[in-house]
Amino acid sequence: MGLSRRTFSTLAGTTALGLALGGSGAANCAYAAPTAPTGPAPAPPAADGRHHTIGFDRYSLVVDGRRLVVWSGEMHPFRLPSPSLWRDVLQKMRAHGYNAVSVYVSWNYHSPAPGSYDFTGIRDLDLFLRTAAETGLYVILRPGPYINAEIDGGGFPGWLTAARGTARTADPAYLAHVDEWLTHVDAIASRHLYTDGGGTILLYQIENEYDAHVTEATGRAYMAHLYGKVRADGIDVPLFHNDKGRNGYWVPGSFDTRGEGGGWLYGFDGYPSPTQTPPDWGHFGVGGTKGGATASPRTPGFMPEFGGGWFDPWGGVWFDRKGYAESRRQRDAAYERRFYLTNLANGITLHNVYMTYGGTSWGWLPAPVVYTSYDYGAALDEGRQPTAKLVPMHQLGHLLHHVPDFAKLDRAADVQAAGLRVYHLTNPDTGAHVYVARNDGTRAVTSALPGLGGLPVTVPAKDARLFVAGMVLGRRKVRCSTAQPMLSLTAGRQDIAVFTGRQGEATVTVLEYPERPAVTVLEGGAAHTYADGLLRVEARLDGLTRVLVSGDGTGNPLLLLLADDDTSLRLFPHDTPSGPVLAHGPALVRTAAVKGKALRLTGDTVAAAALEVWGPHDITELAWNGRDLAVATTPSGSLRTARPLPGVGKVSLPALRGGWRRRTENPESAPGYDDSAWKRADRTTSYSTTPVPGGQPVLFADDYGFHYGDVWYRGRLTDARGARTVSLAYSTGTQGLLMAWLDGRPLGTHRMPVPDNSTVRKGTWTDTAVFSVPAEARTAGPHVLSVLVRRMQHDQDGKAQDTHKAARGLTAVTFDGAAPQVSWRIQGEKAPDARRGPQNTGGLYGERHGWHRPEYADGGWPAASLPRADRRQGVTWYRTSFRLAVDPGIDASVGLVLDDDPARAYRVQIFLNGWNMGQYINDVGPQHTFVLPNGILRTRGSNTLALAVLSDGTTPSGPSDVRLTLLGAAAGGVPVLPI
């Protein structure tokens, strides 16, 4: 490629080869031979300014010579347009066991026009990367250039639809734009690489699920160009691509990366249905290039995307119109245990859950296949609230960080247990054994599991469980346990081991003790026996059972904590420079810091909860969210508050019944409207994949610089004599529509059909609306044809066929019985404002004149009341204001609900304080609740709500029931700055 690259070299003094930094010239082999021993994981990352190495072998990543299992969650800053809340989500992820965050960077979000890039405000990538580092999370950066992500154009900017060059190929015209984009992204990313301690970027992805042109020269040249460009920009962490399934595409050696030696990893995505048997994509699979991880036998098993839910289409056909609640129900905690534990058994040590926080595709961000909400059925819902799906993520994430054996597992001899599928693995360094027992049936199964001393284990229907034997936790070895280990740490002068399971489950944990220890049951109904060097503890999980074991000659006593699922979710380990901390009780512990003899914690409570902590032995004081607490020492060796932390106070939301003002618009439909400032639609050629009809001008909106939202056309006819009908061919995304007027008289509305199972993935819809020309309009002389097209969004380009370039808007206009000459003008969105960006507003008259903005003076608008039952074709705006007075110590997540008779055909654009928070389609759904992010929402102050109602005139249109709803609240949260 002729591009300079940062050198990869051997790091002296480590146990494995790493990716070294600095210098330039040819890259040396950095493939890490499998010599890194099993040992403690690296400390949580930070922007510490120190030199770090990142290598790998077939088992795992090796960071600074230590094995690392990556347990990552996906979130997208562009789907949470409140930078203050990025910290909230990242801290929740870190507290619940994730050690990395995977991040798409969407080109269209940052580039409103060719050569124009914005990384400020809500687009501040530098701020996000700093926040991730401050939170202690690694970053997997994914800047495309194509990302898919159910985002408009798959992340391609709107202006690229009208640009020369074939996307996702080695076309020089396209690559010139790509290089410009990557130059801007990499200038930021290069300051945040973990390798030089500037930040915590651990891995970097080029392209996304690129399964086109794999065997063609243009595809290989394209991937090589991206690789070379990123390396030339100073990105020296391992690079990867995410294969769209188990294809074996873009493995090391398939193009110019010098195999693994160039720091290239193979990764593949997986989204199996919950009705499927969890697939084996590694140790236990078919093997070879179609076997998932086995396609690249010298790199670790890597799944850049594994289903943490699934998206929902317009109309909700996939989830029976129940929305994301049903998505979450189908892919619940049991799904996670079955599928994620199967992945772990198959050697997947780089595991990213897509999505962990889905968020909101606000404004005109969503791709045609999805509506505004991108909740995804994720573990953290769209309102940033925890769900039951966090339980297995929390338990497994903390396990993988605190128990190092899982970073290096080989397949072991098969074992059988009646009614269960059992995976058996062992660590070659420690001899520890791991068993994953999965129940694919519809009834619970109890069976003896070889390797656990014949102990019976029960696995619920469609669920899975993880067991260990011969594993060292702290200074003790676990002979076997029917509970799942969650963590092991030393706090103060005692070792702590946590085991978990379902509520009410009977468990047996057997520990090796050469001498009879002293055993004290501090809490719960545990029983214990000792014989032949084995201590057997039996307990039924209900809350937190505590067993203190001491006097065995090993020094530190052992505190064995046995927690049911709900209780485990309130156990929060944190690393501090002074040593580990384990906190128990509140809904969330965000941060932990030791200052002198004081341990200072921040976090959230929902219900009142006692706070208990284990930490460095000299800690005698405790503070919570800046407030000093009275504490006492417990027999468990912890500090416990004398009084419970208070729960969250009441949050009152106002009704939205009064104060509404209303104004109709669409003056563009009137024949006398002055459109002289509009652009002439007179082009004859286009780079669109949609052919230009013969004898017609180009009417495609993108060719005139209008890329988002609604677009207006006005055609001046020379003569309408003989015209019986007018046919308006148009092309839109899902749920597009068209309205037409002739000389100010409504001709009618046409809309694209609601997707069904056969069309749900269709991204471009074309049709022709045919309207009768009124007899009185079939006259000589000038006439004006006005057309409003809700174009929806651009198709994605998943198959690399330039489908994002399919036309949006009108494509052709013809008359039956006449052939008048027509001159066209077109108008769409104005230039984007600096804060809200290009996807915020479209081409409605009210948007172009600022009716959505809070500063707009609507005092001259007539007062209105809800519910409404108007019947007209066109656009009507409603505005009101409301005040909130949420206590500053409460994090309240608020949503807006719209409800009406589903037979009414209308849609609403929702603007809060000038921000377009999404689109509601009353007769399509399924979305009725729209999240209003704090920062955009003033939780202490005045807010302006504007609703732009687009109705077809065939039925009464609302809005009807418009109300605020509380999605969740906690005492605590993070400071939020207004946007």
Side-chain angles (χ1 to χ4, degrees):
M1 297 298 297
L3 296 171
S4 63
R5 295 168 183 166
R6 301 285 286 272
T7 301
F8 293 93
S9 61
T10 303
L11 174 68
T14 65
T15 58
L17 296 176
L19 296 183
L21 313 184
S24 61
N28 297 320
C29 178
Y31 172 63
T35 56
T38 299
D48 56 14
R50 299 175 182 173
H51 179 89
H52 298 279
T53 60
I54 307 170
F56 53 84
D57 61 18
R58 69 185 179 92
Y59 290 109
S60 70
L61 289 186
V62 179
V63 175
D64 295 335
R66 295 186 176 190
R67 293 198 173 278
L68 173 69
V69 178
V70 175
W71 194 247
S72 171
E74 186 90 12
M75 76 158 291
H76 301 150
F78 54 83
R79 286 189 162 113
L80 183 56
S82 177
S84 299
L85 296 181
W86 299 343
R87 186 178 302 275
D88 174 68
V89 173
L90 292 173
Q91 286 184 344
K92 286 172 177 172
M93 290 175 62
R94 185 72 184 88
H96 287 299
Y98 297 90
N99 62 2
V101 58
S102 177
V103 184
Y104 272 137
V105 188
S106 194
W107 189 356
N108 61 11
Y109 196 62
H110 296 275
S111 183
S116 176
Y117 292 90
D118 181 5
F119 288 91
T120 64
I122 61 171
R123 294 167 174 78
D124 193 341
L125 177 61
D126 189 270
L127 173 61
F128 181 87
L129 295 173
R130 291 200 311 270
T131 305
E134 291 164 3
T135 308
L137 290 170
Y138 294 106
V139 173
I140 302 173
L141 195 68
R142 308 209 286 160
Y146 178 79
I147 65 171
N148 195 278
E150 289 76 59
I151 206 75
D152 179 81
F156 284 153
W159 56 262
L160 194 68
T161 65
R164 182 170 60 89
T166 303
R168 308 186 78 189
T169 71
D171 187 318
Y174 167 69
L175 291 180
H177 296 305
V178 166
D179 285 353
E180 187 176 78
W181 162 242
L182 291 178
T183 295
H184 283 84
V185 173
D186 292 345
I188 299 170
S190 62
R191 300 196 297 268
H192 294 273
L193 301 174
Y194 190 55
T195 41
D196 63 8
T200 57
I201 294 177
L202 181 75
L203 303 170
Y204 181 114
Q205 177 182 313
I206 61 173
E207 251 294 341
N208 188 83
E209 296 185 334
Y210 186 53
D211 60 355
H213 314 300
V214 175
T215 61
E216 301 169 32
T218 189
R220 293 193 298 274
Y222 173 47
M223 292 291 283
H225 179 93
L226 295 177
Y227 175 89
K229 166 62 178 170
V230 171
R231 287 294 186 223
D233 285 346
I235 307 302
D236 54 13
V237 300
L239 307 183
F240 70 97
H241 167 268
N242 58 329
D243 192 0
K244 190 179 183 179
R246 294 166 295 117
N247 304 303
Y249 296 158
W250 312 116
V251 296
S254 61
F255 68 105
D256 183 21
T257 67
R258 287 174 306 287
E260 302 90 348
W264 181 255
L265 296 172
Y266 172 70
F268 62 99
D269 295 347
Y271 288 92
S273 165
T275 61
Q276 289 180 253
T277 298
D280 291 321
W281 288 338
H283 289 325
F284 295 83
V286 296
T289 58
K290 301 295 184 181
T294 57
S296 181
R298 295 187 297 179
T299 60
F302 184 10
M303 297 196 75
E305 295 181 26
F306 194 86
W310 192 243
F311 64 84
D312 196 26
W314 283 109
V317 65
W318 275 336
F319 298 118
D320 195 29
R321 294 181 59 84
K322 296 176 182 177
Y324 283 114
E326 180 65 9
S327 176
R328 187 171 286 108
R329 187 195 69 80
Q330 292 183 11
R331 292 167 172 83
D332 59 4
Y335 169 92
E336 292 178 315
R337 284 188 289 267
R338 286 179 73 214
F339 285 80
Y340 301 173
L341 286 174
T342 299
N343 291 343
L344 185 63
N346 274 274
I348 308 302
T349 58
L350 287 85
H351 192 283
N352 179 54
V353 177
Y354 188 106
M355 301 290 295
T356 291
Y357 170 76
T360 306
S361 298
W362 59 281
W364 295 107
L365 277 171
V369 293
V370 292
Y371 48 88
T372 299
S373 175
Y374 201 67
D375 177 282
Y376 215 80
L380 293 169
D381 71 18
E382 187 182 3
R384 300 177 289 110
Q385 303 305 302
T387 73
K389 292 180 65 167
L390 276 175
V391 169
M393 304 308 299
H394 182 94
Q395 294 170 350
L396 289 172
H398 289 305
L399 171 69
L400 296 174
H401 176 68
H402 289 92
V403 182
D405 301 72
F406 290 89
K408 191 176 182 181
L409 292 176
D410 288 321
R411 181 173 179 176
D414 290 345
V415 297
Q416 304 295 321
L420 300 175
R421 170 70 166 100
V422 180
Y423 298 88
H424 178 204
L425 303 110
T426 187
N427 184 293
D429 297 333
T430 66
H433 292 264
V434 173
Y435 302 89
V436 172
R438 195 180 73 219
N439 180 1
D440 296 322
T442 57
R443 295 182 178 180
V445 170
T446 299
S447 184
L449 182 61
L452 295 187
L455 291 173
V457 298
T458 299
V459 183
K462 299 294 184 181
D463 209 332
R465 298 187 58 198
L466 181 147
F467 307 101
V468 298
M471 183 170 286
V472 174
L473 298 182
R475 296 171 176 83
R476 279 82 175 177
K477 178 177 281 190
V478 179
R479 173 65 63 89
C480 59
S481 179
T482 63
Q484 177 178 302
M486 177 174 136
L487 61 85
S488 172
L489 54 82
T490 299
R493 294 191 175 95
Q494 70 178 352
D495 298 333
I496 301 174
V498 177
F499 285 79
T500 68
R502 310 297 84 79
Q503 202 277 335
E505 178 183 356
T507 66
V508 177
T509 300
V510 180
L511 303 170
E512 296 184 4
Y513 279 92
E515 304 174 14
R516 179 184 293 273
V519 181
T520 305
V521 178
L522 301 173
E523 183 178 355
H528 57 90
T529 58
Y530 178 82
D532 301 324
L534 299 176
L535 174 66
R536 178 182 174 116
V537 178
E538 300 182 33
R540 188 171 297 277
L541 300 184
D542 184 11
L544 191 63
T545 299
R546 308 164 188 245
V547 179
L548 183 64
V549 185
S550 60
D552 59 337
T554 60
N556 284 8
L558 170 69
L559 179 64
L560 179 64
L561 301 178
L562 299 161
D564 61 27
D565 283 344
D566 288 344
T567 304
S568 74
L569 202 60
R570 293 186 290 112
L571 285 166
F572 298 97
H574 281 271
D575 294 285
T576 78
S578 302
V581 169
L582 179 64
H584 170 239
L588 180 70
V589 177
R590 296 178 179 272
T591 64
V594 176
K595 187 173 182 180
K597 294 186 176 183
L599 176 60
R600 301 188 176 279
L601 304 177
T602 67
D604 299 355
T605 57
V606 177
L611 173 62
E612 181 179 15
V613 296
W614 293 265
H617 67 88
D618 55 350
I619 294 299
T620 59
E621 301 170 11
L622 189 59
W624 176 256
N625 289 340
R627 184 168 61 90
D628 293 334
L629 304 173
V631 295
T633 303
T634 75
S636 297
S638 61
L639 293 180
R640 184 167 181 157
T641 54
R643 288 184 293 274
L645 302 175
V648 65
K650 183 178 180 181
V651 176
S652 298
L653 301 177
L656 301 179
R657 298 189 185 94
W660 289 95
R661 294 184 179 273
R662 172 180 177 271
R663 182 174 176 182
T664 59
E665 56 135 281
N666 53 280
E668 301 94 336
S669 62
Y673 180 80
D674 181 8
D675 59 17
S676 59
W678 290 17
K679 291 186 178 181
R680 294 183 183 275
D682 54 8
R683 295 176 179 266
T684 57
T685 61
S686 172
Y687 292 120
S688 173
T689 55
T690 302
V692 180
Q696 297 260 349
V698 174
L699 296 175
F700 314 155
D702 288 297
D703 285 74
Y704 298 95
F706 303 122
H707 306 303
Y708 304 108
D710 300 293
V711 61
W712 274 97
Y713 297 86
R714 282 173 57 87
R716 297 185 181 274
L717 287 62
T718 56
D719 193 343
R721 286 176 296 180
R724 292 184 292 274
T725 63
V726 58
S727 297
L728 305 173
Y730 72 118
S731 177
T732 73
T734 308
Q735 280 302 286
L737 64 75
L738 172 152
M739 294 179 176
W741 294 260
L742 184 60
D743 297 333
R745 182 171 184 168
L747 295 180
T749 297
H750 186 280
R751 58 191 290 183
M752 300 298 181
V754 179
D756 57 21
N757 271 317
S758 65
T759 58
V760 70
R761 290 184 178 272
K762 186 176 178 180
T764 293
W765 298 68
T766 60
D767 208 338
T768 299
V770 180
F771 299 116
S772 296
V773 175
E776 59 271 25
R778 302 172 189 174
T779 63
H783 297 273
V784 178
L785 177 63
S786 302
V787 181
L788 173 64
V789 179
R790 175 143 292 182
R791 56 205 300 273
M792 302 301 278
Q793 289 85 7
H794 304 93
D795 196 0
Q796 300 177 108
D797 191 26
K799 296 185 181 298
Q801 297 174 344
D802 263 359
T803 48
H804 64 291
K805 290 186 174 182
R808 290 296 183 261
L810 286 178
T811 55
V813 179
T814 57
F815 293 83
D816 178 35
Q821 292 184 353
V822 185
S823 60
W824 288 99
R825 288 186 181 268
I826 183 172
Q827 177 64 55
E829 73 272 18
K830 294 176 65 177
D833 66 61
R835 282 192 301 162
R836 300 178 178 95
Q839 288 87 12
N840 192 68
T841 49
L844 294 179
Y845 181 89
E847 291 176 297
R848 303 196 312 268
H849 290 80
W851 293 6
H852 60 295
R853 292 174 177 263
E855 63 268 22
Y856 178 80
D858 60 9
W861 290 19
S865 61
L866 301 184
R868 300 290 301 185
D870 297 339
R871 188 190 292 265
R872 70 181 292 268
Q873 176 179 294
V875 185
T876 305
W877 284 73
Y878 298 84
R879 283 173 56 102
T880 191
S881 62
F882 61 91
R883 295 189 65 86
L884 296 179
V886 178
D887 187 284
I890 293 178
D891 176 11
S893 180
V894 178
L896 182 75
V897 179
L898 284 80
D899 275 324
D900 206 344
D901 179 349
R904 292 185 173 188
Y906 69 94
R907 56 186 68 190
V908 181
Q909 286 298 118
I910 301 165
F911 293 92
L912 176 69
N913 296 328
W915 295 80
N916 182 346
M917 297 318 303
Q919 180 177 195
Y920 169 75
I921 305 184
N922 182 68
D923 56 338
V924 174
Q927 184 174 6
H928 289 267
T929 300
F930 294 78
V931 174
L932 308 176
N934 297 343
I936 290 176
L937 179 71
R938 308 291 191 258
T939 57
R940 293 184 63 80
S942 180
N943 297 273
T944 299
L945 180 65
L947 307 178
V949 178
L950 188 64
S951 54
D952 64 12
T954 62
T955 68
S957 65
S960 181
D961 183 10
V962 180
R963 65 186 186 277
L964 299 174
T965 186
L966 185 64
L967 303 174
V974 297
V976 177
L977 298 176
I979 306 301

